[in-house]
Amino acid sequence: MSKILKLNEISGAVDDIFAPHGYKLVKECSDPDAVILRSFDMHSYNMPKSVLCVGRAGAGVNNIPHREYAEQGVVVFNTPGANANAVKELVVCALLLCGRKIVDGINWTQSLAGGRQDIPKSVESGKKAFAGGEILGKTLGVIGLGAIGRLVANTAVDLGMKVIGYDPYISIDAAWNLNHNVQKETDLKSLLSKCDFVTLHVPYLDANKEMINEEALGAMKNGANLINCSRGELVDNAAVKAALKSGRLNRYVTDFPCEELLGTENLITIPHLGASTEEAEDNCAQMAAREIVDFIENGNITNSVNFPNCKSDRNGKMRITVFHKNVKNVISSVSDIIAKEGINISSFNSQSGGPMAYAILDIDEIISDATIDKIRKSDNIVRVRVIK
Ligand code: MLT
């Protein structure tokens, strides 16, 4: 029976996937086969050697040292798109919060409680302080057109906004699914200079740390609004604070409150609720569970962030999977070792991407432990699994 260690609370919907396979979800375990988590920080986590894969129920993987895990042959999966609708809906809410003084108005009406005044009369006379603008006809810039950015862009078109999208790495799938009214922009500064609202939908990587800095804010339209439901690190907080104070930025809505920002006027903070809906939590948990099961049972890789996708139907008496460095001649030496035993490889799927590569070999007969050992000891091999 496979044991799956959960490092965070995970939606109970995960059992719909694990239970039929007889997998046990545990809170503590010294030798789990896999780990499932949400935002638990694995950077200082001492991971048991038994772990074959990590399933992140969510999109961002900055809480997981996935490059290091790749070196150990531990596959890290995420669940792209599974919470996209939830985040999109929060971004639509953020657009409205930017355009209208809804939060200030709510806080003000609550402050009237317990007073002696006639509330309806006070509301009617006080509401003029909270008048705002509409989003219809305004321009929205969407930075990053992955699963979430694409949905945001399409919905904003449906809401009557003009939408400009920027994504130098857009996938073919995302491009196919983008509303044709979304205007393409290849220069970030140019996008920033044209938009009334800008929303971020890129993963946090070293390369884009504080991409919205003083210079980027300076390129934005005066009085524009910024929405960040991606990661706090994408924005230089000191620069945003200054821009809010000077009025250059009308509002900053962030799903990532922090000490440095709290208390700033015209800042709207949300406690990382982007993906916190029942539906998104169920979707993410189940998608991560499916990825884990298919990997444990078949060695198939779908939606990994540290190994290439590689998947094939079972075909043969045994399957071996080989994790190796993405360098020349590794697979030829593996097949040479198998050929020397006079055994036929019935099917073979090898994929590479970045520094790592992965191969699935289905074999007609059972290979001896000694041969598997020889493969393990070959140059540039990271891990070998035998799946019977
Ligand atoms: C994500 O990365 O999927 C979202 O930020 C939500 C989460 O962290 O779970």
Side-chain angles (χ1 to χ4, degrees):
M1 179 207 292
S2 293
K3 285 170 281 181
I4 315 297
L5 175 65
K6 57 172 179 176
L7 296 178
N8 288 111
E9 278 314 314
I10 294 287
S11 153
V14 86
D15 282 330
D16 295 353
I17 310 298
F18 285 146
H21 292 263
Y23 288 21
K24 200 166 168 210
L25 195 60
V26 288
K27 263 187 172 168
E28 274 170 36
C29 177
S30 57
D31 61 345
D33 300 281
V35 162
I36 191 164
L37 78 159
R38 292 174 62 191
S39 54
F40 180 91
D41 186 358
M42 294 191 82
H43 287 280
S44 47
Y45 176 67
N46 197 2
M47 193 162 65
K49 289 261 177 293
S50 57
V51 172
L52 298 170
C53 66
V54 172
R56 156 80 165 111
V61 286
N62 53 314
N63 55 325
I64 305 172
H66 51 88
R67 283 185 205 93
E68 220 173 90
Y69 287 174
E71 303 277 330
Q72 300 160 28
V74 175
V75 180
V76 178
F77 297 103
N78 71 346
T79 59
N83 57 22
N85 188 64
V87 181
K88 175 205 82 181
E89 289 188 6
L90 193 69
V91 173
V92 170
C93 169
L95 282 169
L96 301 173
L97 295 180
C98 285
R100 307 177 77 156
K101 296 187 177 163
I102 300 168
V103 174
D104 299 333
I106 292 171
N107 291 339
W108 176 71
T109 41
Q110 290 291 332
S111 77
L112 300 177
R116 291 216 191 106
Q117 71 267 54
D118 172 345
I119 304 286
K121 204 167 156 203
S122 303
V123 163
E124 287 312 315
S125 64
K127 72 178 187 184
K128 56 184 169 298
F130 307 105
E134 298 181 15
I135 58 171
L136 184 76
K138 303 277 172 24
T139 304
L140 170 68
V142 183
I143 300 178
L145 295 164
I148 299 171
R150 170 172 60 76
L151 281 190
V152 168
N154 290 352
T155 303
V157 170
D158 292 343
L159 289 170
M161 299 187 83
K162 291 179 198 138
V163 182
I164 307 178
Y166 169 84
D167 190 341
Y169 310 103
I170 189 167
S171 70
I172 294 171
D173 188 49
W176 270 107
N177 287 295
L178 203 57
N179 185 303
H180 68 274
N181 288 311
V182 176
Q183 204 182 306
K184 180 178 139 205
E185 180 55 81
T186 52
D187 179 58
L188 183 57
K189 272 199 182 159
S190 165
L191 174 140
L192 294 171
S193 70
K194 293 178 199 156
C195 296
D196 305 295
F197 300 83
V198 172
T199 181
L200 304 175
H201 296 289
V202 291
Y204 167 50
L205 310 167
D206 289 344
N208 58 20
K209 184 172 162 56
E210 299 185 348
M211 65 184 287
I212 301 297
N213 52 20
E214 197 182 337
E215 197 187 339
L217 289 160
M220 283 175 81
K221 247 180 158 176
N222 214 10
N225 301 279
L226 180 63
I227 298 168
N228 182 5
C229 288
S230 287
R231 283 293 177 264
E233 292 87 346
L234 297 170
V235 171
D236 175 345
N237 290 328
V240 158
K241 242 172 126 167
L244 284 169
K245 275 194 186 139
S246 72
R248 165 142 216 108
L249 202 56
N250 179 50
R251 301 231 165 210
Y252 176 41
V253 181
T254 178
D255 211 11
F256 305 93
C258 64
E259 187 68 40
E260 195 181 355
L261 284 174
L262 289 178
T264 311
E265 215 181 320
N266 292 324
L267 167 82
I268 298 173
T269 47
I270 306 171
H272 197 188
L273 292 184
S276 295
T277 65
E278 205 178 304
E279 294 86 345
E281 286 176 13
D282 290 356
N283 285 345
C284 289
Q286 291 199 340
M287 190 169 181
R290 273 189 213 100
E291 292 161 356
I292 290 171
V293 169
D294 199 20
F295 179 70
I296 290 181
E297 296 183 1
N298 303 308
N300 286 332
I301 298 184
T302 313
N303 293 328
S304 168
V305 297
N306 63 351
F307 276 93
N309 283 341
C310 188
K311 194 175 167 77
S312 48
D313 291 338
R314 297 292 288 265
N315 176 20
K317 284 210 176 117
M318 80 185 278
R319 169 168 281 194
I320 65 170
T321 63
V322 183
F323 302 75
H324 63 94
K325 300 241 168 87
N326 188 11
V327 293
K328 282 186 200 156
N329 298 329
V330 180
I331 284 303
S332 58
S333 40
V334 171
S335 53
D336 277 357
I337 294 171
I338 296 172
K340 277 194 186 124
E341 281 216 3
I343 287 176
N344 188 41
I345 297 173
S346 42
S347 77
F348 171 72
N349 185 359
S350 167
Q351 301 295 333
S352 59
M356 290 295 162
Y358 183 73
I360 297 176
L361 292 87
D362 283 328
I363 317 284
D364 280 348
E365 292 163 51
I366 300 294
I367 308 185
S368 68
D369 290 350
T371 306
I372 298 289
D373 227 43
K374 264 191 210 154
I375 298 173
R376 282 203 174 105
K377 288 183 180 142
S378 302
D379 287 347
N380 297 308
I381 299 288
V382 173
R383 190 175 206 168
V384 177
R385 276 184 75 206
V386 174
I387 306 170
K388 293 203 174 125

